[in-house]
Amino acid sequence: MFIARKKAIRYVMAIFIIFSLNFAIPRAMPGDPVMNLLGEDVIVSESSVAEMRTKMGLDEPLYIQYLKYWSDIFHLDLGYSYHLHSEVSKVLFTKMKWTLLLVVPTIILGAVIGTPLGALAGWRRKDSNEKIMTMSFLFVYCTPPYFLSILFIYLFSFKIGWFPLKGFYTTGTPGDIVYHLFLPVTVMTLFAASRNYMIMRGSVIQEMQMLYATYARAKGLFGREILFRHIFKNASLPIITLVALDFGFIFSGALFVEIVFSMNGMGNLIYDAILARDYPVLQGSFLLITVMVVLANLLADILYGLLDPRVRWQG
Amino acid sequence: MKNIWSVWIFLLFLLSLILSTGALGADDADGMTLRIGTPNLVKSPSLVGDYYMGIFAHLSNPPLMRVAEDGTLEGQTAEMYEVSDDGKTWKFYIDDDLYWSDGTKVTPDDVKFTIEYYTANSVIGWLEDLLEEVSVTDDNAVVIELSEPYATLNQEFVTYNILPKHVWEDIDDPKEYTNKGEYVGCGPFYIKGTALEAGVLYFEKNPHWKGTQPNIDSVEVHMYSNMDVLSIALKRGDVDAYYKYGRGYPYANVRALEEDTFDFVVTDYTGLTFLGMNIRKEPLSDVSFREAISYAVDYDEIERIVALGYGGAANRGFVPRSMAYFKETEQLEYDSSNAKENLDDAGYVDSDGDGLREDLNGDDMELVLLIRSDDMDYQRIAELLKEYLGNVGIDVEIRMVERSTWFDLKDEYNYDMTVTGTTPWGMWMWANWGTGYFDSRRTGRGVLHTIDDPEFHALCDDIMSTTDEGQLEEYAHDVQDYYAENLPGIALYWGQYVTPYNDDWTGWSSDPIFGIYRLDTFLNVVKA
């Protein structure tokens, strides 16, 4: 009970500090949100700029803005974006829907494909087939996401002509959406899978050296049984952390793919908000990511406890 | 082994299912559609509040005036206009044959409403102090009375889209109003919808359009956030033409399209890339120093490397040939010996023999060349400039920052030189001929506002207060002479607007401000 209370306090403190940083970091960046509202070839008087600044609440002293920021959070009000002409909560909700469609399959497929293949590669690391597979995953792992996305578009959309070049949909039917998502999801899955593969492979190699693996063989278990009944569970602990973090950054992790495939998701939203110094959108997005990361960590803590009795016993 | 085959068969089945359902969805377009591909991204479906949506809406809600192919002004929603000698009273005669897409007739009341509505809601904020009255007359005209002369009002009305009063009068703040569906328009096409997740802006033919009937039924503006993919889309035939406001197709990508079935609209570009000088700070405040810099730059090489032959060396008068009342000032010349002599004569010498010149106080001098990271051309030019200035003994530090930081630093005058550009419209704004970029009395995102000189301010005021064409020409020449003499900015080259289109289509036209995105294009294009 004491430990649970200690953890709860830790999470609350983390949320408080991160929320405060969410307020401070956008304002610490050079650049004026008001100027960013204007077009490049627009000239205005100083009085118009001052009027816009007042309208956006940026003329108030910082501590007033900070207090208002907390007050808005407690009222579940994420503010208004003058760049996007909409309430931030509405913008986030719209973008989140699409980003979830892009990222959730990626995380699941990346874990489902990368983890067992990585475990097998670690277990049979001297096998030539596994060596080729490891090299292939290493190649993907080292390739810049932008390059791989462009390469896939060039090959599968331009040369072979199988897939569309942009957007989440053309007509909006479920089949059409899946058709548009197939290529970006494939690219992102390859990245997620290759990372999980490399981590799992290393983790299995490490676990194989432990005495319990030798004991399992001594008691007469076959290779794959040792791997999947004993080693896999212990070796997958780092993967849990990674997948939890993936869920934490679910709304921001697809920027390159969103840019290449011209998808209006959360990645592009945050990127544009940074360029435009759109404080409310930045604050709202970071707040959402913070909550997701904290929840994901909490979930990882619980899963760790379930998988590893040592964590459970130590609390 | 059997299992592996089952998995492969299942995956192939899944892929074919996806491809077939996707292909079914993609093939349902009706009638003839012109598809324009653009990197100009609409961020929110706000006709008044979104910068690029406002530009694309020139097709659906045409402004009062427009730019002709030769760069002169002519009427659009207003058939013609008159202006009083004192430049305070403007009368715009509205085209009597215009109808909104919902069947209502376009009246001068719509125009009056639009001007008053925009002024009250800070869309035309600068008009607030000037506007005395807007009235409607029996001869289908709108009269605008100003408290002070504003000789370029007709020019300003090239950009403001006309709105239907009966639709917008109930909307409190036009800038914050968004709508993913239809916007009532009076152009040959109206906005049918905006699908930001699909990256498309849809226009349908206005059923009540009485003018020349277009040969196409609809227009789609497809937005791409990646230029490489947009080039692929052009080659694949997903889009029929390219459009980017204020910039043509990247010169480096043109050759790849030349081998394919593409033709190009090439127009002299009114915007330009220039070296802006911070004339408020030493040593750039010294005109002799600026003069020396102008001789140190190899303009031909910059034009060759950056514009790839689509341009030419500029004049000292800054303003490009495509603008009205262009004056042939002296051409900018590369002469590093002359640059060195000028620097020696002005007292910027290398007294410690380290190969770099010192300032007038004898201190080491390192000039900050500020550039934005979002433009590769600026980065290439900055590297070349560093080399050219190094050749004459001037040490340069290239400071590359992202867009917002650039706005901040240039507004704080925290730089020595900057490589930046003007848009075509930007060259027209304020008192025309690029004055909006230099006049210190105005601010804005892309403008340098460096000139405090009362002579320059008076010149701008004179331009804005005369409607006499002869007088205007004289002032325009004075502005170009001022630039040539004082060099607040050096045009690095005058470029061309290159717009590729699929050669199945004919009938394109282009103007120096908005390129191919003009009514004539949409009324005349036809697919062979």
Side-chain angles (χ1 to χ4, degrees):
Chain A
M1 198 61 193
F2 171 72
I3 288 163
R5 199 185 309 147
K6 216 166 104 181
K7 272 194 176 174
I9 291 170
R10 209 166 63 200
Y11 280 118
V12 170
M13 284 298 291
I15 285 180
F16 173 77
I17 293 168
I18 298 168
F19 278 19
S20 297
L21 286 173
N22 285 350
F23 173 85
I25 289 171
R27 283 164 180 80
M29 292 192 291
D32 183 351
V34 178
M35 274 299 165
N36 276 291
L37 273 176
L38 305 171
E40 293 255 337
D41 51 6
V42 173
I43 47 174
V44 287
S45 62
E46 292 290 351
S47 61
S48 305
V49 173
E51 196 183 310
M52 281 155 77
R53 189 161 279 122
T54 308
K55 197 173 168 186
M56 294 165 79
L58 297 168
D59 59 333
E60 303 275 12
L62 264 186
Y63 75 93
I64 300 275
Q65 290 183 43
Y66 180 64
L67 291 176
K68 193 174 175 314
Y69 165 75
W70 273 108
S71 154
D72 287 348
I73 289 176
F74 285 123
H75 288 93
L76 298 177
D77 178 3
L78 298 181
Y80 187 86
S81 167
Y82 283 95
H83 285 271
L84 301 174
H85 313 288
S86 177
E87 281 169 15
V88 173
S89 50
K90 217 183 269 179
V91 174
L92 292 181
F93 180 71
T94 312
K95 307 284 178 188
M96 257 162 49
K97 282 189 302 192
W98 292 104
T99 299
L100 283 174
L101 277 179
L102 184 64
V103 183
V104 169
T106 300
I107 295 174
I108 295 170
L109 288 171
V112 168
I113 296 168
T115 312
L117 287 179
L120 282 172
W123 184 250
R124 300 187 307 209
R125 66 185 190 283
K126 288 182 181 153
D127 185 302
S128 53
N129 286 337
E130 297 301 337
K131 279 182 183 165
I132 292 169
M133 192 175 273
T134 302
M135 278 177 65
S136 310
F137 274 113
L138 191 63
F139 173 77
V140 173
Y141 191 55
C142 300
T143 309
Y146 180 87
F147 175 73
L148 196 72
S149 305
I150 285 284
L151 190 70
F152 267 58
I153 276 206
Y154 183 76
L155 289 177
F156 296 105
S157 298
F158 180 55
K159 282 290 171 192
I160 307 178
W162 281 355
F163 296 103
L165 293 172
K166 72 164 171 79
F168 283 108
Y169 61 83
T170 303
T171 57
T173 60
D176 178 54
I177 294 170
V178 173
Y179 176 55
H180 279 71
L181 285 173
F182 189 85
L183 208 53
V185 166
T186 305
V187 172
M188 286 177 62
T189 300
L190 274 176
F191 277 107
S194 66
R195 188 204 53 190
N196 292 341
Y197 178 93
M198 301 310 294
I199 301 283
M200 194 62 187
R201 181 178 175 275
S203 195
V204 165
I205 290 172
Q206 208 174 3
E207 289 295 324
M208 277 165 61
Q209 317 300 324
M210 307 296 275
L211 279 176
Y212 72 86
T214 316
Y215 180 74
R217 184 172 288 280
K219 79 176 181 183
L221 288 179
F222 290 111
R224 287 201 180 186
E225 276 178 303
I226 301 170
L227 174 64
F228 288 110
R229 201 185 289 176
H230 295 283
I231 293 178
F232 190 85
K233 205 165 131 185
N234 291 328
S236 61
L237 290 178
I239 296 289
I240 290 170
T241 312
L242 279 176
V243 174
L245 279 176
D246 279 344
F247 272 101
F249 291 101
I250 199 164
F251 297 127
S252 60
L255 176 63
F256 282 108
V257 169
E258 283 187 14
I259 287 177
V260 172
F261 290 89
S262 303
M263 291 172 143
N264 254 317
M266 285 293 292
N268 259 325
L269 177 77
I270 295 171
Y271 179 67
D272 287 339
I274 290 171
L275 288 183
R277 306 292 189 264
D278 191 346
Y279 295 164
V281 169
L282 281 176
Q283 284 165 189
S285 311
F286 290 158
L287 195 135
L288 198 68
I289 293 168
T290 306
V291 172
M292 291 297 291
V293 170
V294 170
L295 286 178
N297 269 295
L298 188 66
L299 193 69
D301 270 356
I302 295 167
L303 280 175
Y304 259 69
L306 289 176
L307 287 175
D308 191 339
R310 288 168 301 178
V311 177
R312 197 160 56 231
W313 293 334
Q314 286 163 16
Chain B
M1 200 65 185
K2 245 182 182 177
N3 283 344
I4 292 173
W5 279 109
S6 314
V7 170
W8 277 112
I9 288 166
F10 174 73
L11 284 175
L12 279 173
F13 171 73
L14 191 69
L15 184 65
S16 57
L17 196 70
I18 289 164
L19 289 174
S20 58
T21 50
L24 278 177
D27 246 1
D28 59 353
D30 295 326
M32 181 80 80
T33 300
L34 175 69
R35 294 180 179 87
I36 307 268
T38 179
N40 294 147
L41 306 177
V42 170
K43 299 288 179 190
S44 120
S46 169
L47 192 143
V48 181
D50 188 275
Y51 182 72
Y52 288 120
M53 181 114 172
I55 289 172
F56 293 131
H58 290 351
L59 174 59
S60 59
N61 299 64
L64 281 179
M65 305 293 295
R66 70 170 185 171
V67 183
E69 281 188 290
D70 63 1
T72 55
L73 272 180
E74 58 187 27
Q76 190 164 247
T77 298
E79 279 182 314
M80 54 180 281
Y81 68 91
E82 290 166 359
V83 57
S84 63
D85 289 342
D86 64 1
K88 287 181 171 178
T89 306
W90 290 80
K91 188 170 183 180
F92 292 91
Y93 292 89
I94 309 306
D95 187 342
D96 198 26
D97 232 5
L98 290 176
Y99 288 82
W100 297 106
S101 50
D102 62 2
T104 319
K105 192 170 165 51
V106 176
T107 66
D109 275 323
D110 289 314
V111 178
K112 173 181 175 340
F113 165 77
T114 302
I115 294 167
E116 289 175 338
Y117 187 54
Y118 279 165
T119 309
N121 287 287
S122 298
V123 179
I124 322 183
W126 51 268
L127 195 57
E128 207 171 341
D129 298 333
L130 287 175
L131 190 65
E132 290 218 315
E133 196 190 357
V134 186
S135 56
V136 169
T137 60
D138 293 338
D139 48 355
N140 211 46
V142 175
V143 177
I144 301 168
E145 304 271 358
L146 304 175
S147 57
E148 283 173 41
Y150 198 94
T152 53
L153 191 72
N154 52 345
Q155 190 176 292
E156 297 284 356
F157 284 145
V158 159
T159 56
Y160 296 109
N161 300 315
I162 301 300
L163 304 175
K165 182 183 174 190
H166 61 283
V167 176
W168 287 80
E169 61 189 343
D170 297 326
I171 296 166
D172 289 335
D173 189 347
K175 283 196 286 192
E176 302 311 319
Y177 176 71
T178 58
N179 173 16
K180 283 186 175 178
E182 280 184 24
Y183 275 103
V184 173
C186 61
F189 296 86
Y190 68 100
I191 296 173
K192 181 75 180 164
T194 312
L196 293 183
E197 284 75 27
V200 191
L201 188 57
Y202 297 97
F203 290 87
E204 286 284 321
K205 204 190 256 187
N206 177 355
H208 304 283
W209 172 256
K210 307 283 183 210
T212 308
Q213 285 303 308
N215 302 305
I216 48 176
D217 301 296
S218 55
V219 176
E220 291 175 5
V221 176
H222 287 258
M223 295 166 270
Y224 291 81
S225 46
N226 183 279
M227 192 56 221
D228 295 323
V229 178
L230 176 45
S231 297
I232 290 174
L234 270 166
K235 291 181 85 141
R236 198 172 93 146
D238 283 13
V239 291
D240 305 305
Y242 170 88
Y243 178 72
K244 182 178 182 183
Y245 168 66
R247 216 74 189 276
Y249 194 64
Y251 298 131
N253 295 16
V254 170
R255 194 161 295 164
L257 291 184
E258 277 171 347
E259 296 154 8
D260 275 300
T261 54
F262 285 90
D263 274 338
F264 300 87
V265 179
V266 181
T267 316
D268 279 341
Y269 179 54
T270 307
L272 49 87
T273 301
F274 72 100
L275 178 64
M277 315 279 197
N278 182 3
I279 59 174
R280 296 175 165 225
K281 194 176 162 193
E282 286 180 347
L284 273 305
S285 54
D286 182 351
V287 72
S288 320
F289 192 84
R290 302 200 292 270
E291 186 79 29
I293 285 183
S294 78
Y295 284 114
V297 178
D298 187 345
Y299 302 98
D300 287 339
E301 189 174 64
I302 290 183
E303 194 271 332
R304 214 170 43 244
I305 291 175
V306 180
L308 300 173
Y310 288 96
N315 289 357
R316 292 169 64 100
F318 193 76
V319 175
R321 279 202 176 78
S322 53
M323 289 198 82
Y325 305 137
F326 165 78
K327 184 181 179 185
E328 193 73 69
T329 53
E330 197 186 326
Q331 192 172 3
L332 286 158
E333 184 194 349
Y334 170 50
D335 184 346
S336 58
S337 321
N338 202 346
K340 285 176 191 168
E341 267 173 42
N342 269 295
L343 287 166
D344 288 340
D345 292 348
Y348 300 94
V349 290
D350 174 21
S351 50
D352 58 10
D354 66 351
L356 298 171
R357 294 169 188 271
E358 287 90 51
D359 64 18
L360 296 178
N361 302 317
D363 298 327
D364 285 342
M365 180 171 63
E366 189 186 45
L367 302 185
V368 172
L369 177 58
L370 186 68
I371 52 161
R372 291 161 50 157
S373 55
D374 58 345
D375 194 308
M376 285 298 289
D377 284 352
Y378 294 167
Q379 293 170 36
R380 280 187 209 111
I381 291 171
E383 291 294 340
L384 290 168
L385 288 173
K386 185 179 165 70
E387 188 188 317
Y388 302 149
L389 295 178
N391 290 342
V392 297
I394 298 172
D395 194 14
V396 170
E397 181 211 336
I398 297 173
R399 190 170 297 166
M400 189 163 66
V401 294
E402 52 81 56
R403 205 173 58 183
S404 287
T405 309
W406 185 85
F407 300 146
D408 246 20
L409 292 175
K410 64 94 185 158
D411 282 343
E412 292 163 3
Y413 304 104
N414 195 355
Y415 66 99
D416 293 300
M417 298 175 294
T418 182
V419 178
T420 182
T422 71
T423 63
W425 169 251
M427 290 298 288
W428 281 36
M429 70 184 175
W430 191 229
N432 212 328
W433 298 290
T435 52
Y437 285 93
F438 298 113
D439 192 321
S440 61
R441 295 171 295 175
R442 292 275 144 174
T443 187
R445 244 175 31 160
V447 308
L448 300 183
H449 48 79
T450 43
I451 305 183
D452 267 337
D453 186 355
E455 185 195 336
F456 184 76
H457 288 185
L459 201 49
C460 293
D461 293 342
D462 286 343
I463 291 171
M464 285 192 290
S465 60
T466 186
T467 51
D468 181 274
E469 292 290 319
Q471 187 78 66
L472 205 56
E473 181 167 9
E474 200 178 300
Y475 290 145
H477 289 178
D478 289 347
V479 167
Q480 291 167 75
D481 286 337
Y482 185 93
Y483 291 147
E485 204 177 306
N486 294 282
L487 297 167
I490 296 174
L492 294 168
Y493 62 89
W494 286 332
Q496 286 176 313
Y497 224 136
V498 181
T499 306
Y501 62 88
N502 192 310
D503 63 9
D504 285 348
W505 293 82
T506 53
W508 302 89
S509 71
S510 175
D511 69 56
I513 300 288
F514 294 107
I516 59 159
Y517 205 88
R518 58 200 309 272
L519 289 199
D520 282 359
T521 290
F522 298 102
L523 291 175
N524 295 320
V525 283
V526 60
K527 194 171 184 182

